[in-house]
Amino acid sequence: MKKFLIALALAAAANAGFISEGIQAQQSGDHKKLAEIYERACGLENKASGCYNLAVLYFEGTGNVEKNFEKAISLYEKACSAKFALACNNLGYIYESGNGADQNFTKAAAYYEKACQDDEGCTALGLLYANGAGVKTDIKKAISLYTKACNYGDMMGCNNLGYLHLEGMGVEKDYVKAKAFYEKACAGGVGIGCDNLGFLYAFGQGTEQDY
């Protein structure tokens, strides 16, 4: 199951108070206090990052709270409505995977679209367009989304661009470009990018054959 990250380092200065409290509670292992801090930040202070962090606790069943997908989704929706991109991205994942809610690719695409406006979820949205899941198949759109993701630092987007250039899907087949994208993905820590780069060397595609 995909693990969601607590957004302790993503808040603006206005959120510094509860973020600082949250870090202290997390470091001390005081999970009950951590949940209370996020509850207050979300409910009383109306901070989107507080709602997001509380949603992660309910989704994972950590922080001394009982796992509750329905409550987690409600909190993610509140944070997403406040333009907290990570929350929108996580909702996209929930509906894409069917983990926590009934699988619904149309909803997944809609949430990834919102997330991608702030540079989250663009690769996932690109995959939906590439496969025609919840949206009409559109390879050009997928390329655009992968490119945005890759430029922003999502190395899986770079890997996927490498695959499209390798196969000539929506672009002219170009092993040299495929190699460049796989190299970028591999350098960024994406294991499958390293594997794909290895295959290019093994078969001498875009480079001299080198076992």
Side-chain angles (χ1 to χ4, degrees):
M1 184 176 71
K2 181 177 180 180
K3 297 287 286 184
F4 295 142
L5 299 178
I6 297 293
L8 290 177
L10 298 177
N15 291 343
F18 102 83
I19 290 295
S20 177
E21 287 184 77
I23 291 174
Q24 291 175 13
Q26 188 178 55
Q27 290 178 342
S28 68
D30 191 343
H31 298 299
K32 182 178 180 181
K33 185 177 180 181
L34 186 64
E36 290 173 351
I37 290 167
Y38 295 153
E39 189 81 55
R40 185 182 74 240
C42 178
L44 297 179
E45 301 175 27
N46 205 33
K47 288 181 167 63
S49 51
C51 299
Y52 169 86
N53 287 337
L54 188 59
V56 172
L57 298 186
Y58 277 108
F59 190 85
E60 302 287 356
T62 55
N64 216 32
V65 300
E66 186 176 349
K67 184 178 291 189
N68 187 325
F69 289 141
E70 186 175 345
K71 189 159 187 176
I73 289 170
S74 177
L75 288 162
Y76 280 139
E77 287 173 343
K78 183 176 181 180
C80 180
S81 295
K83 300 186 184 304
F84 198 82
L86 283 173
C88 304
N89 178 72
N90 288 5
L91 285 166
Y93 166 77
I94 287 169
Y95 286 109
E96 179 189 7
S97 66
N99 181 21
D102 291 337
Q103 191 174 55
N104 188 319
F105 291 120
T106 300
K107 282 188 176 182
Y111 281 118
Y112 282 142
E113 188 77 53
K114 288 183 180 181
C116 187
Q117 291 173 12
D118 288 314
D119 299 315
E120 295 288 345
C122 300
T123 296
L125 182 59
L127 278 168
L128 295 184
Y129 274 102
N131 293 296
V135 291
K136 186 177 179 180
T137 301
D138 189 336
I139 295 298
K140 293 294 185 184
K141 178 76 170 177
I143 292 170
S144 175
L145 289 162
Y146 292 155
T147 301
K148 181 177 181 179
C150 182
N151 290 340
Y152 183 69
D154 182 348
M155 295 298 104
M156 186 57 74
C158 304
N159 176 77
N160 292 0
L161 283 171
Y163 174 77
L164 294 182
H165 282 88
L166 177 68
E167 298 296 330
M169 295 177 63
V171 293
E172 185 176 347
K173 184 177 288 191
D174 189 326
Y175 293 139
V176 174
K177 284 186 177 180
K179 177 176 175 287
F181 283 120
Y182 285 148
E183 284 177 335
K184 189 171 183 179
C186 181
V190 176
I192 193 172
C194 301
D195 292 341
N196 291 334
L197 183 60
F199 282 121
L200 293 186
Y201 277 106
F203 292 100
Q205 294 175 323
T207 184
E208 290 185 10
Q209 193 171 44
D210 186 349
Y211 293 104

